[in-house]
Amino acid sequence: MSEKKIRVLIAKPGLDGHDRGAKVVARALRDAGFEVIYTGLRQTPEQIVAAAIAEDVDAVGLSLLSGAHNYLFPRVIELLREQGADDILVFGGGVIPEEDIPGLKKAGVAEIFTPGTPTSETVKFLRERCGDKQ
Amino acid sequence: MNGKEQWEVGVVAKALEKHPERRAAFETSSGIPVERLYTPEDVVGSYEERLGYPGQYPFTRGIQPTMYRGRFWTMRQYAGFATAEESNKRYQYLLEQGQTGLSIAFDLPTQIGYDSDDPMAHGEVGKVGVAIDSLADMEILFQGIPLDKVSSSMTINAPAAVLLAFYIAAAEKQGVPASALKGTIQNDILKEYAARGTYIFPPAPSMRLITNTFAFCAQNVPKWNTISISGYHIREAGSTAAQEIAFTLADGIAYVEAALEAGMDVDDFAGRLSFFFNAHNNLLEEVAKYRAARRLWAKIMKERFHAKKDRSMMLRFHTQTGGSTLTAQQPDNNIVRVAIQTLAAVLGGTQSLHTNSRDEALALPTEDSVRIALRTQQIVAYESGVADTIDPLAGSYYVEHMTDQLQAAAEAYIAKIDEMGGAVKAVEQGYIQREIAESSYQYQRQVEAGQQIVVGVNKFTIEEPPVKGLMHIDSSVAANQIKKLQAMKAGRDNVLVSQRLEALRTAAQGTENLMPYILDCARVYCTEGEICGELRKVFGEYHPMEVL
């Protein structure tokens, strides 16, 4: 089995300190065989994009519970695009009202996982969307 | 063979052959085994030593001699959003609805020492709480609310000294002296490093700011609770009930030690220490948790720190129902969860309580949801009868046994943290973060394996339409706040502002108490970002070790 593992950056954009969800998802992905990098708290969109490119990840998972997702998530996508790195898949999770999801998807967020989502669903999603590259 | 053993081999064994139990083994969230039946043999030690009487050491049964027969707990809903004007309206509404104290939620830029126009604040202004940039906002926040009558709890940690200074200065404007003020600043930096994330400065200067507020308030604001040592966020981050007690009291020990090192006498500040715990769904484990925490803290203060005054040994606490227990699915079910958690807090002897609203897994709560949450407390207080006698679950074989078990588990953790050199060291080494993350991950795996049922999430699910009418913070809030901030800066005496900031920076380089300097800055409308900016220059910033 020499196939390349899917690499994922789990990031906490903005000032939000709630990292329980981000850490649980990071560990679940790691247990499922992904290579996972966790940024830690309080990352600017610029820092997240730089890390995503430097680590050559297939996907970036953004976790936010502070309500600033409508600004911060699209900003990450915009910067990835500017850097020519928009092949990196962006997904998100946290306290995100249903009514905000269409706008985020339109901005380029591939999927939003809301509270109560089993981590197995995120694993399945990433295998489907990033697995075909290998 | 005693009576219980006879019962086990006789009656129970026969019943099990026909009807096996739901699970091979039962346990609480802390992994403490739950037996089929508890009897008098499970309650050890003398009544007088283990339990005693309310208002007396070891305070297991409560800290006041009459508890809720005298007065109910303070009903204190955590609230704040958008601008000072809008939050002021919500506070007026809550007070009209019979709420008896205020609890201020600040937005993240305020909690991390950034003004609303700072690039780091982009997208976050007014979102999870109210934006407060200076005394000017604080004056508006409490307009029409007499600060000598209402007590205010402020969830503010790294810049707690600054927001307390704004509050004192706002009271001065109302003609209320600092000595008359009642309230609490959270001021608990250690759990920010471990679980909540709104730190600014490294541990040593942070501990200095905290002991500075202890000393300043002992002299000038004697009715103020100078810290709220918080297990709430540790539990929210995924800890067990036993870890919640242990890590909170370990943090408490670190604060007491820091104040003693700063030269204070234990009985001069310990009486103003307060605590903050979570309330989860496992009703009886939670009740035992509060009782165990009270008994253990009393023992620590008496035996380790040789406190003399009763008040120094009393664990007074606020409770909030568990945010992480709320579900986005079938949100009305959360009303029932909150009611159970309210019972836990009241049966556990809380001094004040915030009840969460049903829609908080989705957004900030609407006014309707907040009213139901407050009514839940009022129904428990006025209709359930549980508040009419003190500590009514005492003497339950199970509750007493669980109280002992939780205390023992917490003491084992505290011994381990002592060995590491205390809570500051344990946080710096990532020990507490790792323990919490491990518990949180195990819980998630249990939920996903269906071993832990969450109603509406992994069982009894339905298809449901998205919830309508959620609270939404408009982005115009930030623009207005920034406009207000800039107008305020243009109108103040900027020469005086520079002088006061300069004086603060010089003091920070030395060893003086910084509170008087911060208060002088507050009075001339220095902003929070400017004050914290000076302190950042001297103290630097904390960079955490990331633990997965």
Side-chain angles (χ1 to χ4, degrees), chain B residues 85-121:
Chain B
E85 286 85 352
E86 290 193 58
S87 293
N88 176 267
K89 270 188 227 154
R90 178 68 70 94
Y91 300 154
Q92 305 260 16
Y93 171 80
L94 286 167
L95 292 170
E96 280 162 25
Q97 293 298 313
Q99 174 164 297
T100 48
L102 294 175
S103 174
I104 317 303
F106 297 104
D107 71 356
L108 283 166
T110 305
Q111 292 188 51
I112 306 177
Y114 294 116
D115 286 341
S116 298
D117 58 355
D118 193 290
M120 288 299 286

Side-chain angles (χ1 to χ4, degrees), chain B residues 360-432:
Chain B
E360 289 186 55
L362 301 160
L364 287 191
T366 62
E367 207 163 87
D368 277 353
S369 301
V370 173
R371 195 185 59 242
I372 294 170
L374 177 60
R375 294 288 181 260
T376 305
Q377 295 197 39
Q378 291 162 337
I379 290 167
V380 169
Y382 292 96
E383 299 182 18
S384 77
V386 299
D388 295 347
T389 187
I390 301 168
D391 189 26
L393 292 182
S396 150
Y397 308 129
Y398 176 55
V399 169
E400 294 303 352
H401 177 77
M402 188 54 63
T403 303
D404 293 348
Q405 294 285 306
L406 282 167
Q407 182 179 343
E411 286 185 291
Y413 270 116
I414 291 172
K416 204 163 181 183
I417 293 167
D418 282 341
E419 264 170 45
M420 301 176 79
V424 177
K425 287 275 173 350
V427 162
E428 284 175 344
Q429 293 171 21
Y431 168 74
I432 292 177

Side-chain angles (χ1 to χ4, degrees), chain B residues 319-336:
Chain B
T319 306
Q320 179 168 338
T321 58
S324 63
T325 69
L326 302 179
T327 64
Q329 296 74 14
Q330 304 176 45
D332 286 350
N333 294 346
N334 292 325
I335 297 171
V336 182

Side-chain angles (χ1 to χ4, degrees), chain B residues 164-466:
Chain B
L164 174 60
F166 288 170
Y167 191 82
I168 292 170
E172 286 170 354
K173 296 262 171 170
Q174 285 191 4
V176 175
S179 58
L181 295 177
K182 283 184 295 186
T184 308
I185 39 175
Q186 200 162 76
N187 208 17
D188 171 12
I189 198 66
L190 292 174
K191 66 91 176 55
E192 296 296 327
Y193 300 136
R196 190 169 175 274
T198 68
Y199 41 75
I200 304 176
F201 314 112
S206 295
M207 295 300 268
R208 172 185 173 190
L209 281 170
I210 291 166
T211 53
N212 282 176
T213 56
F214 288 1
F216 179 85
C217 290
Q219 291 295 313
N220 304 287
V221 206
K223 289 187 239 170
W224 197 265
N225 297 311
T226 50
I227 193 166
S228 171
I229 306 162
S230 306
Y232 182 82
H233 318 89
I234 289 169
R235 190 70 179 277
E236 283 300 286
S239 85
T240 65
Q243 289 170 333
E244 182 187 355
I245 304 174
F247 300 154
T248 309
L249 299 197
D251 287 350
I253 291 168
Y255 296 122
V256 172
E257 283 173 348
L260 294 176
E261 270 164 39
M264 297 180 75
D265 182 275
V266 67
D267 286 309
D268 286 345
F269 65 89
R272 296 319 308 175
L273 305 177
S274 64
F275 289 82
F276 175 20
F277 290 111
N278 213 312
H280 271 222
N281 289 329
N282 193 322
L283 176 68
L284 299 175
E285 184 185 36
E286 292 299 287
V287 173
K289 178 186 79 180
Y290 306 119
R291 301 171 83 246
R294 231 175 356 245
R295 186 165 65 198
L296 181 50
W297 184 247
K299 180 179 164 191
I300 290 167
M301 291 311 290
K302 186 174 187 169
E303 294 178 6
R304 188 191 283 231
F305 295 115
H306 311 293
K308 299 275 180 299
K309 289 187 192 163
D310 261 1
R311 195 176 167 88
S312 305
M313 305 175 210
M314 280 180 199
L315 183 147
R316 296 175 299 127
F317 70 102
H318 173 69
T319 306
Q320 179 168 338
T321 58
S324 63
T325 69
L326 302 179
T327 64
Q329 296 74 14
Q330 304 176 45
D332 286 350
N333 294 346
N334 292 325
I335 297 171
V336 182
R337 294 188 175 97
V338 169
I340 293 168
Q341 295 163 7
T342 300
L343 272 174
V346 171
L347 291 168
T350 195
Q351 275 58 65
S352 59
L353 178 63
H354 164 101
T355 36
N356 288 334
S357 298
R358 58 184 165 172
D359 45 3
E360 289 186 55
L362 301 160
L364 287 191
T366 62
E367 207 163 87
D368 277 353
S369 301
V370 173
R371 195 185 59 242
I372 294 170
L374 177 60
R375 294 288 181 260
T376 305
Q377 295 197 39
Q378 291 162 337
I379 290 167
V380 169
Y382 292 96
E383 299 182 18
S384 77
V386 299
D388 295 347
T389 187
I390 301 168
D391 189 26
L393 292 182
S396 150
Y397 308 129
Y398 176 55
V399 169
E400 294 303 352
H401 177 77
M402 188 54 63
T403 303
D404 293 348
Q405 294 285 306
L406 282 167
Q407 182 179 343
E411 286 185 291
Y413 270 116
I414 291 172
K416 204 163 181 183
I417 293 167
D418 282 341
E419 264 170 45
M420 301 176 79
V424 177
K425 287 275 173 350
V427 162
E428 284 175 344
Q429 293 171 21
Y431 168 74
I432 292 177
Q433 297 91 312
R434 257 194 311 277
E435 286 289 315
I436 296 171
E438 186 57 34
S439 298
S440 135
Y441 192 53
Q442 291 314 325
Y443 175 79
Q444 179 68 24
R445 287 175 51 148
Q446 285 173 6
V447 170
E448 294 196 16
Q451 292 158 344
Q452 172 73 51
I453 299 301
V454 183
V455 172
V457 174
N458 62 358
K459 200 165 187 166
F460 314 114
T461 56
I462 54 170
E463 285 296 320
E464 51 188 334

